[in-house]
Structures are given as structure tokens and as C-alpha cells.
């Protein structure tokens, strides 16, 4: 009987020891809100690097242009790759789409209210809240030069007041052009024409004697084909892919204005990254801006060749008309800016951007 009692005591002690080694550890993991799998992963990471694993961060991203547009279809994936590689996968980019996901005019609010984290948005959609952002069109500098001259910092402070972080530009050195259904030889030939317009150059057209006509993008081809308008304003990329150059066969090779497309991030999301990732994201975008300059210079050269192949003829103004054209555009756009912002802001922008 004594031998049986001693054996029972030994079995009881062994069971308690096994519980302490296994069951107790599992209970502690649940009490701290960690699953057993996470705890095991954490232990392995600590053993390898001496620090806890870092949580993966997803940046929900939107664009004001559709995913298949030539200005974004390759660009946002390039930025996504640079961000994910530059942060060793700790930050990932989820591009949810373009205006079919969130209307373009609502995207700025979506970013600043945290509905999405990042927006690739043109300033035309938020100048009612931040009119000084229209100055992006007037910059004579590359994005890198804008940082060196203080213009980036100027805009950053303005964006900050709207709960938005200005990461940088994504479309640079990609100016606008006027396209015509009929050949022209001088600026005088533009007078009396009707062109499809948008807010960027609506004010410029009357100064050239052109009547601006508002037409939704899906209706532009039909309007051109039926002679409702005689031409349009647009950057180089897009009209050929949209089929507009099947009707409009002339491009006036007098580029004007800079692009106004920005990469914006919700301030709270940016703050949640912490100093190290914040700096990495900024550094990545700085390098991305430099690459975009070369990318679009090359893209424009290739597009000019493709347009020529498609039968689009290039019109070059004489030296006198070219100067008159550029001076007029500068005068109109600076006047628009002067009327939109206070005097101090206007003077600051003139000091930062104006070049004779």
C-alpha cells in the first residue's frame, strides 16, 4: 500500500511539473493578448536580432486619374515598389484605384479625413481650400530645385494646416499643349476658335481669343468629331490613347505651364509611422521625383514620335509669337493667383518662383 501511495505522489508531481512548463506559458500568452503563434514568432525574432518584430503598415492609396491612364499606370506601381523595397516590406502600398473608387473632387477630403492614406491628386481639385497650390503650375523649376529654393517647404506648411503631409510631386517636366483640328500659322489664327477647356487654362483661352467650352472627358471625342469644338488643351500623353488624335491632327509645339500633380498623405497616418519610417518615405519620394523628370522627358520624346507616326502634324510658332504666347500665359496665371491669395502669400510666391 505504501509503495502504491508513493507512486501516486510521484505521478502527481510529474503532472504538475509538465503543466508548469507547458500550460502556464500558454496561459500567459493569452493573458497578454498574443496568440501562441505570435509568441513563438516573437521569441524567434528576439533570438535573431534582439528586437521585437515590426508591424506591417499598409498605405491605402487613391489617384485622380483612372488606373489605365498613361500618367499613372506605370508611375504609381513604380512608387509602390520603391516604398516597399526601401522599407524592407514594412510599408506596403495598396492602390485601390482612381476616380471610379472615389470621385476626383472628393479625394483631397478623403486623404485629410483618413478615408485613404495617400492621394496622387492634382491641385485643381483642392485650390478652393488652398488657392496657393495653384502656383504649382507656375514653377519654372524641377521638383529637386523647388526643394533647394524653399518652395517645397512653403507648400508643406500650407498643407500641414489642412491635416495633410506634402510628400512631393509625381508628375514633373510634363507641360501642356494646345491641339487643333485645323492648321494654324500664327496666334491670330486662334481667334474665334472654340476649344475644350479645364480650370488649368480656362483663363488663358479668352486672352488668346479662344472661346473655352466645358466638356466632360468621355464626351471630348464626339465633340471634336462633330465640330462642337475646334481643339483642346492637354498634356502630350493621353489624347492618342483616347482616340482624340483620330480627329485632331495638329499640335502647337509651344509647351506651357508645369504640372500640378502632388503626392499627399494623411497627417495622422504619417505620424503613426514614427521618425525612422517618416524619413525613409520622404527620402524615397525625393529620389522618385528625380527619376520622374527623366521618365517623362523620355516618355514625351517617344510620344512625339508615336504622334508623328499616327499622322499628327507639329506646328511651330515663329519666335515673336512664341514669346508673346509665353508672356501672355505668365501674365494671366500670375494675375489669377494674385486675385486668389492674400498679398503676403502672393509676394512670397513671386519671390520663390517668378523668373523674368
Amino acid at each position: 500500500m505504501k509503495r502504491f501511495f508513493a507512486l501516486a505522489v510521484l505521478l502527481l508531481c510529474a503532472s504538475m511539473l509538465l503543466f508548469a512548463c507547458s500550460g502556464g506559458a500558454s496561459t500567459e500568452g493569452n493573458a497578454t493578448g498574443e496568440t501562441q503563434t505570435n509568441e513563438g514568432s516573437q521569441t524567434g525574432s528576439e533570438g535573431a536580432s534582439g528586437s521585437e518584430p515590426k508591424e506591417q503598415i499598409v498605405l491605402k492609396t487613391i489617384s485622380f486619374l483612372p488606373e489605365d491612364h498613361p500618367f499613372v499606370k506605370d508611375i504609381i506601381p513604380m512608387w509602390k515598389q520603391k516604398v516597399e523595397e526601401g522599407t524592407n516590406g514594412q510599408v506596403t502600398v495598396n492602390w485601390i484605384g482612381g476616380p471610379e473608387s472615389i470621385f476626383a473632387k472628393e479625394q483631397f477630403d478623403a486623404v485629410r479625413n483618413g478615408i485613404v492614406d495617400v492621394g496622387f491628386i492634382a491641385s485643381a481639385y483642392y485650390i478652393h481650400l488652398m488657392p496657393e497650390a495653384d502656383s504649382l503650375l507656375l514653377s519654372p523649376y524641377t521638383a529637386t530645385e523647388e526643394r533647394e529654393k524653399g518652395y517645397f517647404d512653403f507648400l508643406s506648411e500650407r498643407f500641414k494646416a489642412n491635416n495633410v503631409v506634402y510628400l512631393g510631386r509625381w508628375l514633373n517636366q510634363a507641360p501642356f499643349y494646345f491641339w487643333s483640328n485645323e492648321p494654324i500659322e500664327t496666334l491670330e489664327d486662334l481667334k474665334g476658335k472654340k476649344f475644350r477647356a479645364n480650370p488649368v487654362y480656362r483663363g488663358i483661352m479668352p486672352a488668346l481669343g479662344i472661346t473655352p467650352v466645358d466638356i466632360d472627358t468621355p464626351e471630348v471625342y464626339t465633340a471634336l468629331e462633330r465640330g462642337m469644338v475646334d481643339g483642346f488643351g492637354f498634356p502630350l500623353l493621353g489624347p492618342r490613347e483616347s482616340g482624340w488624335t483620330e480627329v485632331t491632327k495638329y499640335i502647337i509645339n509651344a509647351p506651357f505651364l508645369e504640372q500640378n500633380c502632388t503626392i499627399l498623405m494623411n497627417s495622422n497616418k504619417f505620424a503613426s509611422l514614427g521618425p525612422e519610417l517618416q524619413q525613409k518615405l520622404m527620402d524615397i519620394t525625393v529620389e522618385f521625383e528625380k527619376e520622374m523628370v527623366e521618365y517623362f522627358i523620355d516618355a514625351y520624346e517617344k510620344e512625339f514620335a508615336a504622334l508623328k507616326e499616327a499622322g499628327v502634324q507639329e506646328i511651330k510658332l515663329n519666335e515673336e509669337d512664341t514669346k508673346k504666347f509665353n508672356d501672355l500665359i505668365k501674365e494671366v496665371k500670375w494675375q489669377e493667383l494674385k486675385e486668389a491669395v492674400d498679398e503676403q502669400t502672393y509676394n512670397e510666391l513671386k519671390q520663390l518662383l517668378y523668373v523674368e
Side-chain angles (χ1 to χ4, degrees):
M1 184 68 178
K2 290 181 179 180
R3 290 176 62 188
F4 177 81
F5 179 76
L7 181 60
V9 170
L10 286 172
L11 288 171
L12 178 61
C13 290
S15 298
M16 292 175 68
L17 181 62
L18 286 171
F19 175 78
C21 293
S22 59
S26 176
T27 302
E28 183 180 2
N30 290 333
T32 59
E34 298 176 358
T35 64
Q36 188 172 359
T37 301
N38 286 344
E39 185 180 3
S41 173
Q42 180 177 349
T43 303
S45 175
E46 287 175 345
S49 63
S51 61
E52 295 185 4
K54 297 178 179 179
E55 178 186 0
Q56 189 177 63
I57 299 163
V58 178
L59 300 182
K60 191 176 181 181
T61 301
I62 194 78
S63 61
F64 85 98
L65 292 169
E67 291 179 278
D68 61 350
H69 194 282
F71 276 135
V72 293
K73 65 180 181 180
D74 296 325
I75 303 308
I76 297 180
M78 289 168 66
W79 186 74
K80 168 184 167 71
Q81 182 179 358
K82 290 183 72 70
V83 168
E84 293 176 357
E85 289 180 354
T87 61
N88 295 319
Q90 191 178 349
V91 178
T92 61
V93 177
N94 176 23
W95 183 16
I96 65 172
E100 75 283 355
S101 301
I102 299 176
F103 291 130
K105 64 182 180 180
E106 298 174 0
Q107 290 183 9
F108 185 79
D109 282 337
V111 172
R112 67 176 185 164
N113 294 331
I115 296 172
V116 294
D117 304 313
V118 175
F120 282 65
I121 312 173
S123 67
Y125 294 103
Y126 54 81
I127 56 173
H128 61 292
L129 297 169
M130 201 177 133
E132 58 270 37
D134 213 26
S135 62
L136 286 158
L137 294 164
L138 289 163
S139 174
Y141 305 119
T142 66
T144 300
E145 291 169 337
E146 288 175 355
R147 291 176 183 270
E148 294 169 352
K149 293 179 180 295
Y151 179 59
F152 175 85
D153 293 334
F154 171 87
L155 285 182
S156 293
E157 289 302 313
R158 304 296 174 130
F159 280 115
K160 189 183 299 182
N162 283 281
N163 196 38
V164 169
V165 173
Y166 179 38
L167 294 181
R169 287 182 180 264
W170 56 275
L171 189 49
N172 200 217
Q173 304 300 293
F176 296 88
Y177 293 83
F178 283 129
W179 307 65
S180 175
N181 289 3
E182 300 174 0
I184 69 157
E185 294 182 4
T186 69
L187 288 182
E188 288 293 316
D189 295 336
L190 290 173
K191 291 182 177 179
K193 303 292 186 185
K194 295 180 294 181
F195 275 23
R196 187 257 181 170
N198 78 5
V200 170
Y201 31 78
R202 184 179 288 112
I204 294 171
M205 289 181 174
L208 290 167
I210 300 170
T211 300
V213 181
D214 293 327
I215 299 173
D216 291 337
T217 303
E219 306 300 323
V220 172
Y221 180 90
T222 301
L224 291 166
E225 186 180 39
R226 295 180 179 177
M228 296 168 60
V229 291
D230 305 303
F232 57 88
F234 211 81
L236 198 64
L237 302 181
R240 183 174 59 85
E241 290 85 347
S242 299
W244 300 355
T245 54
E246 294 174 9
V247 181
T248 303
K249 290 296 185 180
Y250 300 92
I251 180 171
I252 303 171
N253 193 357
F256 63 96
L257 300 178
E258 180 50 87
Q259 285 294 335
N260 57 342
C261 299
T262 50
I263 310 175
L264 307 177
M265 185 171 180
N266 176 268
S267 291
N268 296 332
K269 186 70 173 185
F270 185 76
S272 73
L273 299 180
E276 183 179 350
L277 282 180
Q278 288 173 4
Q279 190 59 52
K280 282 186 178 180
L281 193 59
M282 282 296 190
D283 291 344
I284 287 166
T285 306
V286 167
E287 291 305 310
F288 178 72
E289 286 178 334
K290 295 175 182 177
E291 292 178 11
M292 289 303 95
V293 171
E294 297 301 320
Y295 176 91
F296 282 109
I297 288 174
D298 181 62
Y300 265 39
E301 288 179 357
K302 291 177 179 176
E303 186 61 18
F304 262 119
L307 287 169
K308 184 177 181 180
E309 183 71 21
V312 176
Q313 297 182 43
E314 177 185 354
I315 297 172
K316 289 188 176 182
L317 300 174
N318 62 40
E319 185 176 345
E320 181 182 350
D321 271 357
T322 298
K323 183 180 186 308
K324 182 179 178 181
F325 179 77
N326 291 330
D327 289 347
L328 183 147
I329 288 174
K330 183 184 291 188
E331 180 183 349
V332 169
K333 293 306 292 184
W334 275 106
Q335 182 61 34
E336 287 180 352
L337 191 62
K338 186 175 184 178
E339 294 171 0
V341 301
D342 61 80
E343 184 177 359
Q344 180 180 343
T345 300
Y346 177 76
N347 289 335
E348 287 183 59
L349 287 168
K350 284 274 279 193
Q351 189 172 10
L352 287 166
L353 299 176
Y354 193 85
V355 176
E356 292 290 349

